[in-house]
Amino acid sequence: MNRIDRRFAALADEGRAAFVAYVMGGDPDYDTSLDILRGLPGAGVDVIELGFAFSDPMAEGPPIQRAALRALKAGMTLNRTLSLVAEFRKTDSETPVVLMGYLNPLFSAGYIAFADRAAAAGADGLICVDCPPEEADELTDALEACGLSLIRLTAPTTDDRRLATVVKRTSGFVYYVSVAGVTGVKSAVAGDIAPAVARVRAAAHLPVAVGFGIRTPEQAADVARIADGVVVGSAFVDEIAGVLEMISSGANENVTTRVLSKATALAKAVRSARVGQA
């Protein structure tokens, strides 16, 4: 069992969902990003999803697209994202870190070299948005050899036949995309999600975390009553963008403080969602 497995098992014993926070590595800059990472566990985050910046993030809506551009402008690379993980591990040996991004940087780095470096840095898994299962064996082999989980995405459009293919060699958890479309645009509806989560969980025999379309504590709590994990991302990168705009106008604001405050509010909603449930 790696950190992901241990964390979901522990939370299942506690009877609550995991709160998974997505942030873009290096947004708005390396040092601030590291401060945010170090503060997320204390704010109640159970699993960190760390994006590595790419110039063509096809699954992302405008908020995360802009976050990727800010990170690239600040000099972020795949290696610098792994450096963030290594620095984070100096003070936190328990919180799972899942890298999230696109195949091009991994292919350029070489799958074996990437997996070796990611494991050495202290990462626990990978979400690769644009790597279809039919072409994933080489990447999966490299990750599994280093004890890293490949976490795959399912969607409302994934039928039963396709689902069986998607969950094969998936580990850690399955990421259920709650809406058809990109991040940060539509809103998730808990009533629509419940049967899909049950279907994916039965097919994969793994925890199911739900993301896309979850921005508010109320939405997070609704999903936490249904799923094994709740993923929030665009709300955090929007917070960063908003604070940067305020600072540029002369306001005395702190990016890290604002992001961690939002994380705390969302974490409280997820942690209390099942209280009183039979």
Side-chain angles (χ1 to χ4, degrees):
M1 296 178 72
N2 67 12
R3 293 183 188 92
I4 300 170
D5 301 320
R6 291 197 297 270
R7 180 56 54 94
F8 274 97
L11 295 177
D13 288 343
E14 293 178 26
R16 70 173 180 87
F19 177 43
V20 184
Y22 169 93
V23 290
M24 176 64 69
D27 178 30
D29 57 66
Y30 184 96
D31 291 337
T32 304
S33 184
L34 180 58
D35 286 343
I36 291 170
L37 284 178
R38 286 173 168 165
L40 287 174
V45 172
D46 299 300
V47 179
I48 296 172
E49 187 182 333
L50 181 63
F52 51 91
F54 181 55
S55 58
D56 187 21
M58 65 183 72
E60 317 299 352
I64 295 180
Q65 290 178 23
R66 289 190 288 263
L69 292 176
R70 288 193 298 267
L72 290 170
K73 187 176 180 180
M76 286 304 292
T77 62
L78 179 58
N79 282 337
R80 293 200 79 201
T81 303
L82 296 179
S83 175
L84 275 176
V85 178
E87 288 297 317
F88 172 77
R89 283 284 172 240
K90 291 179 180 179
T91 56
D92 188 311
S93 62
E94 295 299 324
T95 303
V97 175
V98 176
L99 299 168
M100 187 275 189
Y102 295 83
L103 191 61
N104 187 290
L106 308 182
F107 183 81
S108 297
Y111 298 151
I112 293 173
F114 162 73
D116 286 343
R117 292 201 297 267
D124 303 289
L126 170 71
I127 299 169
C128 187
V129 176
D130 57 347
C131 183
E134 293 85 355
E135 299 178 19
D137 283 346
E138 187 178 354
L139 175 60
T140 309
D141 289 344
L143 295 172
E144 288 180 350
C146 293
L148 300 173
S149 297
L150 180 61
I151 297 153
R152 291 205 176 99
L153 304 168
T154 64
T157 53
T158 307
D159 62 22
D160 288 342
R161 181 176 179 180
R162 183 62 179 165
L163 180 59
T165 300
V166 170
V167 301
K168 186 178 180 180
R169 296 190 78 182
T170 297
S171 58
F173 62 93
V174 180
Y175 190 130
Y176 179 70
V177 176
S178 66
V179 297
V182 295
T183 57
V185 177
K186 300 178 182 179
S187 293
V189 178
D192 296 338
I193 294 168
V197 168
R199 184 170 68 94
V200 174
R201 191 186 286 131
H205 306 290
L206 288 169
V208 179
V210 175
F212 286 48
I214 304 167
R215 303 180 67 90
T216 68
E218 293 75 19
Q219 289 171 328
D222 286 344
V223 174
R225 297 185 185 99
I226 297 164
D228 305 296
V230 179
V231 186
V232 177
S234 293
F236 293 125
V237 297
D238 269 347
E239 192 73 17
I240 292 172
V243 175
L244 291 175
E245 185 174 349
M246 294 168 67
I247 291 172
S248 70
S249 299
N252 183 20
E253 291 286 346
N254 182 276
V255 172
T256 302
T257 300
R258 289 285 296 269
V259 170
L260 297 182
S261 176
K262 183 170 283 289
T264 298
L266 287 158
K268 287 180 178 177
V270 171
R271 288 169 180 260
S272 63
R274 300 184 191 175
V275 174
Q277 279 191 332

